[in-house]
Amino acid sequence: MTMAKSVAIASAEQPAAATRNGAFVAGAWRSTGALVLIAAAVALPFTISNYHVFELTQVMIYAIAVLGLNILTGYNGQISLGHGGFYAAGAYTAAILMHRYGVPYWATLPPAAVICFALGVLFGLPALRFEGPYLALVTLAMAVATPQLLKYFDTWTGGQQGINLIKVQAPAFLGIGRDRWLYLVVLTVLLVAMRVAANMLHGRTGRALVAIRDHPIAAAAMGIDVARYKTLAFGTSSLFTGVAGALSAIVIGFVAPESFTLFLSLSFLVGSAIGGIATIFGAIVGGLFIEFVPNIANDISDAAPWAIYGLTMLLFMYVMPRGVVGSLAGLMRRVQSRRATAGQGLEEQKRRLS
Amino acid sequence: MTMRKIMVAGLSAAVLVAASSVAWAAGQYSPGASDSEIKIGNTMPYSGPASSYGVIGKVDAAYFAMINEKGGINGRKINFISKDDSYSPPKTVELVRQMVEQDQVLLMFNTLGTPPNMAIHGYLNENKVPQLFLATGADQWNDPKHFPWTMMWLPSYGNESHIYASYILKNLPNAKIAVLYQNDDYGKDYLNGLKAGLGDKAAKMIIATQSYETTDPTVDSQIVALQASGADVLLTAAIPKFAAQSIRKVYDVGWKPTHFLNSVGNAVGTVMKPAGLEKGVGIISAAFAKDPTDPQWQSTPEYKEWLAFMNKAGLSANTTDVQAVIGYSFVQTMVEVLKACGDNLTRENVMKQAASLHNVKLPMLLPGIMLSTSADDFDPIKQMQLQKFDGTTWQLFGDVLSASGS
Amino acid sequence: MHQLLQQIFSGLAAGAVYASLALALVMIYRATDLVNFAQGEMAMFSTYIAWMLVNVGMPFWAAFSLTLVASFVGGMIIERIVIRPVENAPVLAAVVVTIGLLLIFNALAGWLFTYTLQEFPSPFPDRTLFGALMTTRDLGVIGVTLAMLVALFVFFRFTATGLAMRAAAQNPESARLCGIPVGRMLAIGWGLAAAIGAVAGIMVAPVLFLDPNMMGGVLLYAFTGALLGGITSPIGAVVGGLIVGVTENLVGAYLIASQLKLTVALALIVLVLVFRPNGLFGVAIVRRV
C-alpha cells in the first residue's frame, strides 16, 4: 500500500465539505444509538437467569482481554501467542491481594493494571528485536512458562492448589444478586476500556501504531519513535488483558495454574482474528466466540466437539478473513466511499481520480 | 379429662403417622429428582492433556444406561449429564453452574481432577448440592467438617505412599530414596505422603527428587539425574505414559533400585507392556482394583460380567484399561447409594446414605477391600494391597493395608 | 562425568526427536512462508495410520511406505482445500486456520483411536550401546533424522523441483512469469512436510508411546529448535533441535530444580535469539523500502 493510496483512503473516510451537516446528524445518531445499546446492556441481566448473566459476564471479560490483544497484534502488528501470561498476572495479582491482604475486590483493579503495564513494557523491550515467527516463539515461551512459574512460587500463588477467593457480595442497598452486580461492574470496565482504546487508537497514537505496523522504516523516517511506541503498545495491551484477568479472578472466585494454559493464549488469538484483529467492537465478537462456540460444538457433537470448534474457526476465516467486524467495516467503507463519490459532481470525481 | 387428652394425643399421633407415611410413599425430592427420573451431573476431561481419564465418564454413562434398561433405580430412570471441561477450572465452574441452575441436577457425581474440583466445591457446598465420589485421590477431600457436601472415593495418594513408606521402614531401613513425580497436586501428594510416612527419617532418606510436566516429551533426563544421586530405592509417581518411560529408562541405564510404582501408573496393558515386560520385573506397587489384563482375574465370573458390559457398551477398545474398572466401581457405588435412598431423594438424604456405607464390597475391587464411610469419615476406600510384578502379572502379597499400616 | 555424558546423550536422543519435526516445520516455512501449528498433530495422525496398518498384519516397512505416500497425498490435499482459501488473506487468518487444523486432527484422533496409550513397534532392536549411554532406538532416530536432512539438502540444492520450490516461495509473481506452477509447488511443499512429519512420528512413537497428545510437547520444542537454528535452514532445524534437547536436559540436571526446567531452557534460548534474532543459521530478510 503506497503512501498516496493511504492518504486517498483517509480522505475518503472524512466526510466531504458538502455533507458536514450530515456528519453532525450522523454523529448524533451514533451517540443516541450508543446510549440505547448501553441502556439495553444494563437492563439485560434483569431479564435473564443468573446463569446466563454469568455467561455474559465471561463474554465481556474475554472481550476486554481480546481488546488488549487487538491493540498489540491488530493495530501494531506485533504477534503475541502469550497473552494468557498477562491474563494470569492480572488474575493472580487480584487473587493474592484479596486473599493475603484482604484488599476489597474493586481496589485490586488499579494495582493489576499497573503491574501488568510494567510487565508488558518489560516484555516489550526485548521483543523489539524480534519479528514474525520469532516474536511468536518468544511470546509462546511466555505462555508455556506461565503455569510452571505459577506452580513454582507456591508460597505466593498457592501452587497447584490455587487460591480460593471469598465470593464477592453485591452492595446490600441495591438488592440485586451477586451475578448481576458483577455483570454491571464488568460492563462498566468494558465500556471504559473501549472508550480509552478508541481515544488512543483513533488519535495520534493509533496512527503511529498503524504506521509502524505497515511501514516501520517509513514511520521511523517520518520521526516516529518506533521503539517507544512498540513498547507502549505492549504495555497498554498487557494492561487491558491483565485487568480482564483480575476481573476473571473476581468473578470465578478461583485461580489455579491449570486455568492459564497455552490453550487460553491461543483462544485469545483466535477470538481476536474472528472478531477482527484491528477493530474495537471485534473484541466483543471474539469474546462471544470464545465463550459460546465450544459449548455449541459440544451440543453438536458429543464425540469430537473440538473438531467442530476447529471447523468453525476454519469456516469463519474462509468467509471473513478479516474477522466479522473487520469484514463488515471494510464493506461499510466501500459503501460509504461509493456514496460519497456518487454525491459529488463529475468535476469532483475527475479531480479525485487524477 | 386426662382420658380425653390421651385420646386426642393418640389420635393426633395416628394422624401424623398416617400423613407422613403417605408423604413418604409419594417421595421427597430435591431439584433433580422426581417420581420418574434422577438427574445426575458430571464433568470430565474428554479432551486436552487429561483426556485418557475420559473413559471413566464413558463407563459411568454406559452403566447408567444399562441400569435404565433394567428398569432404573426404584422405578426411576437416571438422566446422566456429562460435559467436557478439558481440565480447565473456569470451564468446570461454568458447566457445573449450568448443570445445577439450568439443568437442575440432583447431585454432581465423579467430577474429575483436583483443580476443577477446587473451583467448584465452594459453590456446591454453599448451595448444598452433593459433590459425590470425586475422581481424584488428593488428600484434602476428606473434610466433612468444612465441606459436608463433598465426598471422595479413591484411596488417597498420600495414603498410598504412606503404605510404601511403612514397607520401606520395615524392610529397607537404610534405603536412599529418589522420587520422580508429576509437578502437580497428584504428584506432590505422593511425595508428601512418603515424607509423612517416613516421619523424622524423611530428610535423611529422601536424597533426590525430580519432577516433570505433562508437556515434557520424556523423563529420560530426570531418571539419569536420579540415578546419579546414588539412590537404591525409586518411587515413580507418574501417569501411564511417563511411568512406562521411567521403567524403560531405569532398565536401559542399568540402574537396579527397588522400584515403587504408583497405582495410577501400573496397568499391565498400558504401562508394563509398552515399557517392556522384562524391564518391570520386581517392581512393587499397590492396588485396590483388579487389573483387567491380569490373567488371575480373567477366569472369574466378575471379570466376565465386566467384560460383557464393556463390549455391549461399545467400549471394547478400553478393555485393557484399569481406569475402566475403576469407573465401573465408581458408578456401582453411586447406584448403591441411590438405591439406599429409596423414595427419599432429598439432597440431605443422599449425603446421609453416602455417609452410611458399611463394609460394602464391589465385584471388581480386590478381595478384602471394602468401602466404609461415616459422619466424620468421607473417604470410602482406605485400603490397598501391595503387589510385585513378575514379568507377566502382578502378584499380590501381604495383607490388605490401610495407611496406618493395619 | 558419567552423568554428564549420559545427560548429553539423552539430550541428543530427545533433540533428534525435536529435530525431525523441526525439519517438517522448516519445509513448510520455506515453501509457503507459514508456520504450521498443526504439524505435530498431522504427524501423530500419520503415525496412527501406520499403527492401524501394522495392527492388521502388514509388515513394518510396507506400512511405513504406505503411510509415507498417504501422508504426502494428504498434505497436498490439505494445502489445496484448507490452506488455499486463506493464501491471500492476512497472515493471521492462515495462523488461525492451522490452529483449527490442530484441533481437528487432535479431536479426530481421540475419537477414532481413543486416548488410551498404545505401543508402537520399532524397526530397530531394543539394545543399549556404549555402556548404557544410548539405545539403538535413540541412535535410529538420530540416524533417520540426519538422513532426512541430507535428502532435503540435496533436494533443495540439486533438483529442479527444489529450485522451483525455492523460487515459488521467494517470489511467487516472478516464478509464475518463469512458468513455474506456483500452486503445485505449494502443494508439493505441504506434501513433503507431511511425509517428513510422518517419518518423525513413526520414529518417535516407540520412544514416546502413541497417544493423541504425543506430539503436543514435541511441537513446542521443535518450534523452538527450528527458530533457534533459523526457520529457513534445514541444517539449522537439526542443530537447533539437538541444542534444545541437550540444553533442556542439562538445565534440569545441573542448573535449576526440574520444576523450572522448561522455563529456564526457554529463557536461555530466547537469550541466544536476542543476539542472533534470525537464528543461528538463519538468513536476515532484507526488506525493500
Side-chain angles (χ1 to χ4, degrees):
Chain A
M1 210 161 76
T2 61
M3 291 287 271
K5 244 192 185 168
S6 336
V7 170
I9 290 179
S11 64
E13 283 184 276
Q14 273 152 33
T19 55
R20 206 165 281 152
N21 269 337
F24 180 73
V25 173
W29 265 117
R30 269 205 291 271
S31 313
T32 334
L35 277 173
V36 168
L37 273 176
I38 294 176
V42 169
L44 184 58
F46 299 98
T47 61
I48 55 181
S49 72
N50 273 336
Y51 173 68
H52 288 308
V53 173
F54 174 74
E55 277 186 309
L56 287 178
T57 313
Q58 282 287 100
V59 169
M60 292 193 288
I61 292 177
Y62 287 140
I64 301 174
V66 169
L67 186 55
L69 189 57
N70 282 0
I71 294 175
L72 184 66
T73 304
Y75 285 91
N76 195 226
Q78 297 190 72
I79 188 167
S80 170
L81 293 177
H83 261 53
F86 296 128
Y87 191 80
Y92 269 90
T93 305
I96 293 174
L97 286 174
M98 284 168 69
H99 185 74
R100 257 188 179 229
Y101 301 105
V103 175
Y105 64 95
W106 43 267
T108 62
L109 294 182
V114 168
I115 289 179
C116 290
F117 182 81
L119 266 178
V121 168
L122 254 129
F123 209 82
L125 284 169
L128 290 171
R129 294 278 285 167
F130 301 113
E131 276 189 16
Y134 294 93
L135 183 59
L137 175 68
V138 171
T139 51
L140 184 67
M142 179 176 67
V144 169
T146 300
Q148 216 184 38
L149 288 167
L150 290 172
K151 282 189 272 194
Y152 188 73
F153 294 106
D154 53 4
T155 32
W156 288 92
T157 65
Q160 181 71 18
Q161 304 286 11
I163 302 178
N164 235 310
L165 297 167
I166 314 173
K167 305 290 183 207
V168 165
Q169 296 297 346
F173 68 88
L174 277 177
I176 58 179
R178 175 195 307 160
D179 290 314
R180 299 202 164 99
W181 170 246
L182 285 174
Y183 172 98
L184 292 173
V185 169
V186 173
L187 178 64
T188 314
V189 177
L190 174 65
L191 290 173
V192 169
M194 286 171 73
R195 189 77 205 148
V196 168
N199 279 343
M200 184 177 99
L201 293 168
H202 293 155
R204 278 186 67 200
T205 318
R207 285 198 289 275
L209 293 177
V210 171
I212 294 173
R213 176 192 77 194
D214 293 332
H215 285 281
I217 300 171
M222 290 216 312
I224 296 178
D225 188 345
V226 174
R228 184 166 145 245
Y229 276 100
K230 279 177 104 168
T231 323
L232 210 71
F234 239 108
T236 317
S237 167
S238 161
L239 188 156
F240 276 71
T241 308
V243 167
L247 287 171
S248 84
I250 295 169
V251 169
I252 305 258
F254 176 73
V255 290
E258 296 298 330
S259 310
F260 307 106
T261 57
L262 176 60
F263 186 70
L264 182 68
S265 295
L266 292 180
S267 297
F268 288 152
L269 192 68
V270 168
S272 185
I274 298 229
I277 187 82
T279 67
I280 293 177
F281 280 94
I284 300 182
V285 175
L288 285 165
F289 189 88
I290 298 175
E291 173 69 13
F292 288 121
V293 175
N295 294 344
I296 298 174
N298 222 314
D299 289 333
I300 295 180
S301 161
D302 231 347
W306 291 107
I308 305 285
Y309 184 70
L311 208 61
T312 314
M313 282 165 60
L314 257 61
L315 290 173
F316 266 86
M317 285 294 102
Y318 292 159
V319 175
M320 291 181 280
R322 297 196 180 287
V324 172
V325 177
S327 302
L328 284 176
L331 209 70
M332 280 189 55
R333 229 176 293 147
R334 276 207 298 273
V335 168
Q336 262 177 9
S337 81
R338 222 173 275 160
R339 205 184 288 159
T341 29
Q344 260 128 57
L346 205 54
E347 321 300 318
E348 287 265 29
Q349 282 190 14
K350 278 196 198 149
R351 193 170 55 80
R352 260 174 199 279
L353 292 169
S354 58
Chain B
M1 203 53 184
T2 354
M3 254 322 261
R4 203 127 162 266
K5 268 201 184 152
I6 293 172
M7 272 195 64
V8 168
L11 263 173
S12 335
V15 167
L16 270 172
V17 166
S20 61
S21 56
V22 164
W24 187 85
Q28 292 159 276
Y29 300 122
S30 287
S34 70
D35 286 342
S36 55
E37 174 182 75
I38 303 175
K39 273 198 223 172
I40 299 180
N42 166 266
T43 58
M44 273 277 153
Y46 290 114
S47 65
S51 45
S52 53
Y53 295 114
V55 65
I56 296 179
K58 296 203 177 119
V59 169
D60 288 344
Y63 195 87
F64 283 130
M66 183 185 79
I67 294 276
N68 284 345
E69 260 169 44
K70 295 189 183 159
I73 299 181
N74 294 328
R76 296 175 181 87
K77 297 264 158 87
I78 311 283
N79 184 352
F80 182 62
I81 305 175
S82 177
K83 301 210 176 198
D84 177 15
D85 70 346
S86 301
Y87 210 74
S88 169
K91 198 79 198 165
T92 320
V93 169
E94 187 192 317
L95 291 172
V96 167
R97 285 199 63 170
Q98 185 182 45
M99 285 189 267
V100 170
E101 294 173 36
Q102 300 272 103
D103 302 308
Q104 303 255 309
V105 295
L106 176 67
L107 56 98
M108 292 300 297
F109 161 65
N110 213 359
T111 43
L112 192 141
T114 295
N117 276 304
M118 292 273 319
I120 58 175
H121 78 332
Y123 169 81
L124 289 172
N125 275 275
E126 188 188 330
N127 288 294
K128 302 197 167 55
V129 178
Q131 185 187 11
L132 286 181
F133 308 141
L134 273 48
T136 153
D139 299 328
Q140 67 202 65
W141 298 112
N142 182 6
D143 190 2
K145 210 177 342 172
H146 297 116
F147 296 103
W149 296 89
T150 304
M151 184 179 293
M152 59 192 295
W153 187 90
L154 290 170
S156 78
Y157 304 135
N159 279 352
E160 184 183 330
S161 45
H162 226 110
I163 293 178
Y164 298 142
S166 310
Y167 180 92
I168 293 174
L169 284 174
K170 195 157 37 148
N171 300 295
L172 304 158
N174 299 316
K176 291 192 285 246
I177 309 176
V179 181
L180 173 71
Y181 65 99
Q182 184 159 303
N183 189 16
D184 64 5
D185 62 287
Y186 145 73
K188 287 201 183 135
D189 270 355
Y190 274 106
L191 179 59
N192 292 332
L194 186 70
K195 287 185 182 162
L198 293 172
D200 45 16
K201 297 213 181 72
K204 211 175 63 140
M205 292 179 87
I206 303 181
I207 61 172
T209 63
Q210 287 277 332
S211 70
Y212 71 88
E213 307 281 347
T214 48
T215 47
D216 284 353
T218 72
V219 291
D220 289 359
S221 167
Q222 285 91 333
I223 296 292
V224 168
L226 288 174
Q227 181 194 28
S229 71
D232 53 16
V233 171
L234 171 66
L235 168 63
T236 294
I239 54 178
K241 174 164 145 164
F242 300 100
Q245 289 177 358
S246 161
I247 297 172
R248 186 186 56 201
K249 190 68 179 174
V250 164
Y251 183 90
D252 285 345
V253 295
W255 188 19
K256 292 182 180 19
T258 310
H259 194 167
F260 290 90
L261 184 61
N262 72 155
S263 59
V264 175
N266 70 9
V268 172
T270 45
V271 176
M272 308 310 289
K273 212 158 146 287
L277 290 170
E278 72 285 3
K279 301 191 181 178
V281 174
I283 295 184
I284 300 177
S285 182
F288 67 99
K290 298 177 183 169
D291 185 336
T293 52
D294 197 334
Q296 69 182 302
W297 307 120
Q298 287 176 343
S299 48
T300 62
E302 292 91 2
Y303 170 80
K304 295 200 178 113
E305 195 184 331
W306 173 80
L307 189 64
F309 157 74
M310 291 289 287
N311 286 325
K312 184 151 175 285
L315 293 169
S316 324
N318 297 102
T319 47
T320 52
D321 193 352
V322 70
Q323 295 297 331
V325 167
I326 293 177
Y328 186 72
S329 310
F330 259 118
V331 67
Q332 284 177 329
T333 317
M334 188 72 245
V335 169
E336 283 299 310
V337 167
L338 288 173
K339 278 198 191 136
C341 287
D343 285 321
N344 182 349
L345 286 165
T346 58
R347 288 171 173 156
E348 289 79 9
N349 193 32
V350 170
M351 281 318 292
K352 184 152 158 277
Q353 299 305 325
S356 314
L357 296 172
H358 191 65
N359 287 345
V360 173
K361 283 200 195 155
L362 295 174
M364 284 306 273
L365 295 188
L366 291 178
I369 305 234
M370 298 182 287
L371 284 76
S372 292
T373 53
S374 73
D376 326 289
D377 174 20
F378 275 18
D379 186 5
I381 303 180
K382 297 173 266 296
Q383 301 158 305
M384 303 187 86
Q385 196 171 3
L386 289 172
Q387 53 185 17
K388 207 181 266 205
F389 195 68
D390 67 2
T392 322
T393 146
W394 288 99
Q395 295 290 353
L396 296 161
F397 67 92
D399 302 315
V400 166
L401 302 166
S402 64
S404 50
S406 56
Chain C
M1 188 56 200
H2 186 71
Q3 200 213 157
L4 179 64
L5 272 180
Q6 277 210 317
Q7 292 287 12
I8 293 178
F9 273 89
S10 281
L12 288 174
V17 169
Y18 312 146
S20 58
L21 195 62
L23 272 177
L25 286 173
V26 165
M27 177 80 223
I28 289 225
Y29 193 81
R30 280 195 88 162
T32 64
D33 239 13
L34 198 67
V35 174
N36 179 14
F37 284 101
Q39 200 69 57
E41 306 305 303
M42 285 166 65
M44 174 270 298
F45 202 81
S46 303
T47 314
Y48 265 109
I49 295 177
W51 175 77
M52 269 203 314
L53 293 174
V54 166
N55 265 5
V56 296
M58 204 181 275
F60 180 82
W61 290 111
F64 179 82
S65 316
L66 200 59
T67 305
L68 238 62
V69 169
S71 305
F72 181 80
V73 171
M76 283 182 68
I77 293 177
I78 290 178
E79 200 282 327
R80 290 257 147 161
I81 299 184
V82 177
I83 307 293
R84 194 60 66 88
V86 288
E87 223 168 61
N88 295 316
V91 167
L92 195 63
V95 168
V96 170
V97 165
T98 60
I99 295 177
L101 262 183
L102 186 163
L103 292 173
I104 293 176
F105 272 112
N106 189 290
L108 271 181
W111 175 49
L112 292 171
F113 308 112
T114 80
Y115 287 95
T116 322
L117 209 63
Q118 308 286 2
E119 261 182 287
F120 193 87
S122 173
F124 308 111
D126 190 11
R127 271 199 295 273
T128 58
L129 303 167
F130 311 141
L133 275 182
M134 192 164 259
T135 65
T136 40
R137 283 186 188 165
D138 296 330
L139 208 60
V141 178
I142 295 179
V144 170
T145 306
L146 289 175
M148 282 200 297
L149 171 64
V150 169
L152 264 186
F153 187 76
V154 164
F155 173 76
F156 275 123
R157 259 305 198 88
F158 299 114
T159 67
T161 321
L163 184 61
M165 209 180 287
R166 279 158 63 202
Q170 259 176 23
N171 201 332
E173 274 107 38
S174 302
R176 269 195 201 99
L177 290 173
C178 291
I180 294 175
V182 169
R184 200 183 307 160
M185 288 297 120
L186 292 175
I188 293 180
W190 268 75
L192 277 177
I196 296 173
V199 174
I202 293 177
M203 286 301 116
V204 152
V207 175
L208 299 186
F209 303 119
L210 182 61
D211 75 340
N213 296 317
M214 172 176 85
M215 282 303 200
V218 176
L219 182 70
L220 170 69
Y221 287 110
F223 189 43
T224 309
L227 285 164
L228 178 66
I231 190 75
T232 50
S233 160
I235 298 179
V238 174
V239 171
L242 291 173
I243 292 179
V244 167
V246 174
T247 309
E248 187 217 353
N249 275 15
L250 291 179
V251 162
Y254 295 109
L255 213 55
I256 199 154
S258 54
Q259 292 146 314
L260 277 186
K261 189 169 77 147
L262 179 60
T263 307
V264 174
L266 287 174
L268 285 174
I269 287 162
V270 168
L271 198 62
V272 170
L273 284 176
V274 167
F275 292 106
R276 293 216 29 116
N278 286 306
L280 296 171
F281 293 88
V283 171
I285 302 170
V286 175
R287 210 168 298 181
R288 286 252 198 88
V289 182

